Amino acid sequence: MGQKKKEKIKLDQMMKIMFKLSKKVTVNLLNALFDENYDYKKVKIEYGNGEFLLNNLKRIQADMFITVQSEKRSVNYHIEFQTQNDKAMAIRMFRYGFEKALELACNQEGEEIILDFPKQLVIYLEENQNIKDVIVLQIRKPDGDIERYEFPTMKYWEYTQEDLINKKMYALLPFQVFNMRKWIESISNSNRTHQEKAQLINIEFKKLIKVIESVGKSSTELYEKEEINARDFERILLVLKNMSDYIYNKYGEYRQVEKEVEAMLTSLYNPAIAKENRKIGEEIGKEIGKEIGKREKALEVAKEALKEGADVDFIAKITKLDKETVLKIKEELQN
């Protein structure tokens, strides 16, 4: 696997982590990206399958599918993450959308099948003036008419840290450090001497540390205002650290700078989390009590169902008890 492929996989993984934060943060992000107005308290979200097996047994993998279910409707969203411009992106977006629509159509009945394409978006991280506001795919039908498909894009580099906070796109904050990658890479690929490159890259690294510190402090403030929870906060700092490591490791061994960033993020994380840990401890105690009550109820249901002659596998499924537990209850009833 090539270096660029490995880098894309790592960045994709970090993006996926940020799209799986708390429901509140995720719904607010979808609202901003797709111009929606969901109330996170009144909807459910589910993450859909993104891997599709084609007729030639080749597998294709989309980045992210999310379904939002409200009282009135259920809407599917598809998001792709890109670092660089890709001429084949329009074809891939159509293909992913088609495969998802086909998957959903399997549950339909009747003679006429409706293919419901998801709402789609491509997020481009790296600045490129060739990227347009929409990606266009045109399909010429047998009668000569042309069907035009447009896939909107988000040009991430156009959003400042303040923009992301104002629009409640908190999950995208860690990628502010990525905005500097292009400039550092241009220095690294230039014809300058090694010494000149090292000096210039270190200057950029100092700027990068300020960005990291700023994003870290903003995340702390969001946590203290309860805009994000402890798990969100932890993951934001984790991705921020990984993004920093990615840039440092790619453009030189600057271990001292890396340690400085790690110490900074640790200092931000520890004081804030200490308070949350006390709250979590109290909540865990309550949850344990609830879970004990649920289990006792499940055991009671299983016992009564066995008395009525219900199947062990069926009982395990409806009670969420493991099969061994149900078999043990059955054995006790028979003795």
Side-chain angles (χ1 to χ4, degrees):
M1 186 182 293
Q3 184 64 25
K4 286 188 177 180
K5 182 70 172 177
K6 290 180 180 177
E7 289 172 7
K8 183 180 185 329
I9 289 173
K10 186 171 183 179
L11 286 168
D12 283 352
Q13 289 172 338
M14 286 189 277
M15 288 293 284
K16 288 175 182 177
I17 287 173
M18 289 294 92
F19 271 81
K20 291 187 176 180
L21 299 183
S22 64
K23 186 173 77 167
K24 176 182 177 180
V25 173
T26 302
V27 170
N28 284 336
L29 178 59
L30 291 174
N31 281 341
L33 293 177
F34 293 96
D35 194 25
E36 301 284 14
N37 191 31
Y38 294 118
D39 181 345
Y40 78 94
K41 295 178 181 177
K42 297 180 180 179
V43 298
K44 294 180 180 179
I45 59 172
E46 294 180 356
Y47 295 92
N49 167 57
E51 183 176 80
F52 306 103
L53 182 64
L54 307 182
N55 290 337
N56 60 0
L57 300 184
K58 180 181 178 181
R59 293 182 184 275
I60 58 173
Q61 179 71 51
D63 285 335
M64 181 67 62
F65 283 102
I66 303 176
T67 301
V68 178
Q69 294 180 328
S70 64
E71 291 182 357
K72 297 181 179 179
R73 59 176 183 157
S74 177
V75 183
N76 295 298
Y77 298 91
H78 167 218
I79 303 160
E80 286 295 309
F81 319 123
Q82 284 290 111
T83 54
Q84 298 177 346
N85 199 14
D86 184 348
K87 292 181 179 179
M89 198 67 215
I91 295 173
R92 296 218 312 274
M93 290 296 287
F94 181 82
R95 195 170 198 176
Y96 294 146
F98 173 77
E99 292 296 336
K100 176 54 69 173
L102 195 61
E103 178 184 275
L104 297 172
C106 291
N107 298 322
Q108 292 185 24
E109 297 179 356
E111 295 182 2
E112 293 187 0
I113 300 298
I114 298 176
L115 292 181
D116 288 317
F117 273 61
K119 290 189 176 183
Q120 296 177 276
L121 174 73
V122 185
I123 298 178
Y124 284 98
L125 287 175
E126 189 164 84
E127 182 175 357
N128 187 320
Q129 297 307 314
N130 293 323
I131 295 171
K132 308 300 182 184
D133 292 336
V134 293
I135 300 170
V136 178
L137 176 69
Q138 298 187 80
I139 298 177
R140 190 186 304 276
K141 297 187 289 187
D143 61 6
D145 289 346
I146 292 178
E147 194 74 36
R148 179 184 174 95
Y149 291 86
E150 293 186 352
F151 308 100
T153 66
M154 175 191 182
K155 302 172 188 177
Y156 180 80
W157 67 88
E158 294 182 347
Y159 291 76
T160 65
Q161 184 177 317
E162 290 72 25
D163 291 334
L164 297 176
I165 292 173
N166 290 337
K167 293 177 180 293
K168 296 189 176 183
M169 293 193 285
Y170 309 139
L172 300 183
L173 280 172
F175 300 96
Q176 285 290 289
V177 301
F178 194 81
N179 286 341
M180 301 187 68
R181 187 188 85 110
K182 186 175 181 178
W183 308 115
I184 295 173
E185 187 174 56
S186 67
I187 294 170
S188 179
N189 294 335
S190 70
N191 294 323
R192 296 180 177 90
T193 65
H194 177 75
Q195 185 177 0
E196 289 174 329
K197 288 181 182 181
Q199 289 175 344
L200 290 171
I201 287 175
N202 272 306
I203 290 172
E204 294 303 311
F205 278 176
K206 288 178 181 178
K207 295 178 184 176
L208 188 57
I209 287 175
K210 291 182 179 179
V211 173
I212 294 167
E213 184 177 20
S214 179
V215 172
K217 286 183 176 179
S218 293
S219 302
T220 303
E221 291 171 3
L222 290 170
Y223 168 69
E224 290 173 345
K225 293 176 182 177
E226 297 186 347
E227 285 291 304
I228 60 176
N229 64 27
R231 185 169 174 270
D232 297 332
F233 184 42
E234 181 180 20
R235 288 195 166 198
I236 287 172
L237 294 187
L238 175 66
V239 170
L240 188 59
K241 172 70 167 57
N242 273 274
M243 286 294 300
S244 307
D245 289 349
Y246 161 75
I247 294 176
Y248 295 143
N249 292 334
K250 183 173 174 62
Y251 300 104
E253 292 296 327
Y254 299 91
R255 305 304 300 178
Q256 190 59 45
V257 178
E258 197 171 338
K259 288 178 182 177
E260 184 178 342
V261 171
E262 187 170 356
M264 179 201 311
L265 295 178
T266 301
S267 69
L268 289 170
Y269 176 74
N270 287 342
I273 288 302
K275 176 183 176 183
E276 182 64 21
N277 283 341
R278 289 193 294 272
K279 288 170 62 179
I280 290 175
E282 294 173 0
E283 290 172 3
I284 287 174
K286 294 177 181 177
E287 288 301 317
I288 289 173
K290 289 180 182 177
E291 289 303 316
I292 290 173
K294 288 180 183 177
R295 182 170 176 80
E296 288 177 349
K297 181 65 177 177
L299 292 171
E300 182 182 338
V301 170
K303 189 174 181 179
E304 293 302 316
L306 284 167
K307 288 180 180 178
E308 296 296 326
D311 179 71
V312 170
D313 289 328
F314 173 74
I315 295 171
K317 182 178 180 181
I318 64 169
T319 61
K320 302 293 190 296
L321 294 171
D322 57 84
K323 188 174 179 180
E324 289 72 17
T325 300
V326 179
L327 287 170
K328 186 176 179 181
I329 297 171
K330 184 177 181 180
E331 184 180 339
E332 291 173 352
L333 289 172
Q334 291 173 342
N335 292 336

